[in-house]
Amino acid sequence: MASPEEMYQCQTMNCGYIYDPDRGERKGKIKKGTQFKDLPDEWRCPVCGATVKAFRPLAGPGSVHAENTAASQPAQTETEGAESGMKKYRCDICGYVYDPAVGDDAAGIAAGTAFEDLPDDYECPVCGAGKDEFSEV
């Protein structure tokens, strides 16, 4: 799996698509293994149509997390996450990550709701994919 520094997330409002070089991008006919920096200039986010300028790395210099880390509380460690039993799940279609610590306000899902406890008809808030289109992170 690609490292977070190699994965880029769209920053446009209500999108959050994550470009993963290990997966490429079917809609734009981008082959697996293509690094974000090597995407063609005309490439657009497959969810919202934003240009590459709307993307930031998931980790490292220039990432949203690097900017927010100093202003936020300490990140949860892997051990703490495992102890809580609350696992994150990523939409296989658009890259949205369901975080049970946050929930999904727009869908009326309270913070603290485990993915397994979501209703069977739960849909990705970004692309509308069904619950069965999510994979554990």
Side-chain angles (χ1 to χ4, degrees), residues 9 28 43 52 54 64 104 136:
Q9 184 173 26
W43 183 82
V52 294
V64 174
D104 183 351
E136 186 178 326

Side-chain angles (χ1 to χ4, degrees), residues 11-96:
Q11 301 299 306
T12 57
M13 182 78 66
N14 298 322
C15 184
Y17 170 79
I18 296 174
Y19 177 79
D20 180 349
D22 287 349
R23 292 175 44 197
E25 194 264 299
R26 263 189 326 210
K27 184 177 175 184
K29 298 180 181 175
I30 305 298
K31 294 179 181 179
K32 293 178 181 181
T34 302
Q35 295 297 313
F36 187 81
K37 64 180 177 57
D38 297 328
L39 291 174
D41 292 337
E42 65 276 0
W43 183 82
R44 302 281 184 162
C45 174
V47 176
C48 71
T51 66
V52 294
K53 293 179 182 179
F55 283 74
R56 288 185 155 175
L58 288 182
S63 73
V64 174
H65 300 294
E67 292 176 11
N68 293 335
T69 302
S72 67
Q73 60 187 11
Q76 184 181 47
T77 65
E78 289 182 28
T79 306
E80 289 170 339
E83 288 172 1
S84 72
M86 304 283 267
K87 299 174 184 167
K88 294 180 182 180
Y89 283 76
R90 176 175 287 123
C91 176
D92 297 332
I93 306 302
C94 73
Y96 166 80

Side-chain angles (χ1 to χ4, degrees), residues 73 84 86 96 98-115 117-118 122:
Q73 60 187 11
S84 72
M86 304 283 267
Y96 166 80
Y98 174 77
D99 183 350
V102 176
D104 183 351
D105 284 340
I109 307 295
T113 304
F115 186 82
D117 296 332
L118 294 174
Y122 177 76

